[in-house]
Amino acid sequence: MQVFCRSRARKFTLPTIQTSVRDRCLHVSQTELRSVAESHPYSAGSDLDLQFTPETGPSRPLSIHVVKPFEPFTSAVALLVRPRSSIDANALGLPSLFVVKISDRRYSNRDGFLPWSPALEASLQAAVEYTKEGKKCSPELEETWDMEVQLYEFKQRCHDREVAAYLYLRTLQGQDIPFLYGTFRFPFSLAQGSSGFPRRNNMTTPILDYAEGLAFEYIDGMNMGEVQPDVDIPRADIERTSENTLQIMKRLRDLYALHKECRPQNVMIRRQYPHNPVLIDFGQTNVKLPHMSVQKWKEYTENIDEIKDMRYALSRAGVHVESPVREWEDRFLGYAFFNDFVERRSQAWREQFHDPVFGGPLDVMQVVDGKRIRWQAARWKLKAGVKEAYDHRCD
């Protein structure tokens, strides 16, 4: 079977090797797995050598020092770093602290895949090294390789989308989204945990040899999923930040971009007053392509409302004042559900958005399918001028 790992890799046929290698990676003990997780090359104090490419200008080597890994790693490895050389940093336009995000399939989220281990890497490396011998690959190893390629290609797609999104949203960088300093390639051969096996041929295999990454502005703050109102930051400031987050979502909509990850964890709130929000994580983002018309984009996004989605997510996280809803009537029960919705909220919330109804219709008992049911009149109405949840409050 032939496999192709992106345009930079060569097409090759998987060879036959001893299945005992894969068996070893399938039966790695929990102790070994913990040892692998704890011994990754990204711990605080580690040094990494990158091939860095700024947005403008040629690529050049850059050595960085890991200040803090943001663990647990999720879709990629995220690190707070500083340049080891101020001369190199100045030449590349880098600050004294910044964040790097590395699409390393080994140490980032591997849910649904074999846990990474040196035995797994050895089996993949052997498959590449023995390619020219023309041996037939065992079904077990072939499946292992195919799964690893799928994982690699998924993470690479996320990286490519994120870079494309940052470039597309250049006008928002440094304020609504982090500033992008550039991209880089991280060679595994220079780091702990690399394949590090002798080469019997000159094949270069991206999946085993390096990971792509990007470097962007460090946001000193916390995400909106972890901030505690009136403990970390005053509640009024957090709620204002939440409203400003909806403004960011509106700007994305106006620029024909879909974030596709509307979660409070993807909104950073700066520690420094006025605690402005910064939207992060663009690995799933879609943007309008140059050849696509505005009409086609609007048709594509017709049923998507990320302002509403983010408002709901922030409300569920308790960092956004929940939007009111207009009165709605059930066919048989009248306004019973609406009354219950309003009355389960706090008194302060009700007074902010609703007025009580006096002198309106009375409740009515009616018979439906032989059962007596109370049709309930509305006890509340939306205040004049208040926008409801289905309005764009930031429009």
Side-chain angles (χ1 to χ4, degrees):
M1 184 187 73
Q2 291 186 323
V3 180
F4 188 70
C5 293
R6 294 179 56 80
S7 59
R8 288 167 293 197
R10 292 176 53 185
K11 188 180 291 186
F12 54 89
T13 303
L14 288 173
T16 294
I17 66 171
Q18 296 291 330
T19 59
S20 59
V21 176
R22 182 174 183 273
D23 292 340
R24 286 200 299 274
C25 74
L26 283 170
H27 295 90
V28 176
S29 69
Q30 290 300 312
T31 301
E32 289 176 292
L33 289 177
R34 282 195 298 271
S35 176
V36 168
E38 293 169 358
S39 63
H40 60 67
Y42 304 115
S43 56
S46 300
D47 294 326
L48 307 176
D49 293 317
L50 315 175
Q51 190 65 27
F52 189 86
T53 304
E55 189 172 342
T56 57
S59 63
R60 58 182 292 173
L62 174 67
S63 183
I64 58 175
H65 182 80
V66 178
V67 177
K68 174 186 176 182
F70 295 106
E71 296 183 279
F73 300 139
T74 53
S75 59
V77 172
L79 311 168
L80 177 63
V81 303
R82 61 174 174 80
R84 295 186 64 195
S85 166
S86 59
I87 296 176
D88 290 342
N90 292 335
L92 292 168
L94 294 170
S96 58
L97 279 178
F98 58 96
V99 172
V100 297
K101 190 172 181 180
I102 307 175
S103 300
D104 189 339
R105 63 178 173 80
R106 303 169 302 169
Y107 299 108
S108 53
N109 189 340
R110 294 181 60 91
D111 288 351
F113 294 84
L114 287 173
W116 185 87
S117 69
L120 174 62
E121 200 75 359
S123 68
L124 301 174
Q125 183 68 47
V128 175
E129 295 299 336
Y130 294 146
T131 296
K132 290 188 176 180
E133 297 182 11
K135 296 180 180 179
K136 186 178 180 181
C137 180
S138 68
E140 293 83 3
L141 183 58
E142 182 174 316
E143 181 183 358
T144 300
W145 175 262
D146 286 346
M147 292 291 289
E148 205 67 19
V149 168
Q150 290 178 33
L151 179 63
Y152 165 81
E153 291 184 338
F154 169 74
K155 292 185 181 296
Q156 190 62 43
R157 283 195 301 273
C158 291
H159 167 81
D160 292 345
R161 282 186 177 221
E162 188 148 29
V163 173
Y166 270 102
L167 297 179
Y168 183 86
L169 300 171
R170 186 180 281 107
T171 57
L172 304 186
Q173 288 186 29
Q175 181 173 340
D176 295 335
I177 69 176
F179 187 86
L180 178 68
Y181 298 116
T183 59
F184 60 83
R185 181 171 291 178
F186 173 52
F188 294 156
S189 60
L190 301 179
Q192 173 189 356
S194 65
S195 48
F197 297 102
R199 296 281 182 168
R200 288 200 292 268
N201 55 63
N202 294 323
M203 291 183 65
T204 298
T205 312
I207 187 173
L208 300 175
D209 291 345
Y210 57 81
E212 307 283 0
L214 65 163
F216 48 82
E217 174 190 5
Y218 169 56
I219 307 300
D220 182 19
M222 59 196 77
N223 70 61
M224 292 286 273
E226 65 183 353
V227 65
Q228 300 181 64
D230 293 329
V231 176
D232 300 313
I233 296 173
R235 176 174 288 278
D237 291 343
I238 293 177
E239 291 175 352
R240 183 180 61 251
T241 298
S242 180
E243 284 291 337
N244 290 338
T245 301
L246 302 185
Q247 292 283 354
I248 296 177
M249 303 310 297
K250 178 182 182 295
R251 285 191 276 276
L252 257 64
R253 185 194 66 184
D254 293 346
L255 289 169
Y256 311 119
L258 287 177
H259 186 269
K260 299 184 72 175
E261 291 283 345
C262 295
R263 302 187 299 123
Q265 291 79 7
N266 287 335
V267 180
M268 297 294 295
I269 177 171
R270 295 183 187 270
R271 293 185 194 278
Q272 186 176 2
Y273 186 84
H275 311 297
N276 291 327
V278 180
L279 189 64
I280 62 171
D281 197 350
F282 295 87
Q284 300 295 320
T285 298
N286 281 351
V287 300
K288 186 181 81 65
L289 299 176
H291 66 269
M292 180 183 287
S293 68
V294 172
Q295 182 59 35
K296 283 291 184 183
W297 174 261
K298 289 182 177 179
E299 292 174 3
Y300 171 69
T301 61
E302 182 178 7
N303 297 318
I304 302 174
D305 185 348
E306 291 200 322
I307 302 175
K308 175 185 172 183
D309 293 343
M310 183 62 83
R311 181 188 296 118
Y312 178 77
L314 295 174
S315 296
R316 290 290 300 270
V319 293
H320 183 77
V321 177
E322 185 178 14
S323 300
V325 294
R326 194 169 298 281
E327 307 91 286
W328 79 88
E329 180 184 0
D330 178 78
R331 178 182 176 186
F332 300 113
L333 300 178
Y335 295 90
F337 296 119
F338 169 74
N339 291 335
D340 181 66
F341 173 84
V342 173
E343 290 163 3
R344 281 190 288 109
R345 271 60 188 172
S346 68
Q347 180 179 346
W349 185 91
R350 289 197 299 272
E351 291 176 351
Q352 181 178 355
F353 297 117
H354 292 277
D355 286 326
V357 175
F358 299 108
L362 301 176
D363 293 356
V364 177
M365 295 300 299
Q366 54 186 348
V367 178
V368 178
D369 295 332
K371 297 181 180 179
R372 290 174 58 82
I373 296 178
R374 180 187 297 275
W375 183 94
Q376 198 173 107
R379 294 196 287 267
W380 305 91
K381 64 179 179 180
L382 201 63
K383 285 180 179 289
V386 171
K387 290 189 176 182
E388 58 169 314
Y390 296 101
D391 295 327
H392 286 318
R393 294 164 82 183
C394 51
D395 277 358

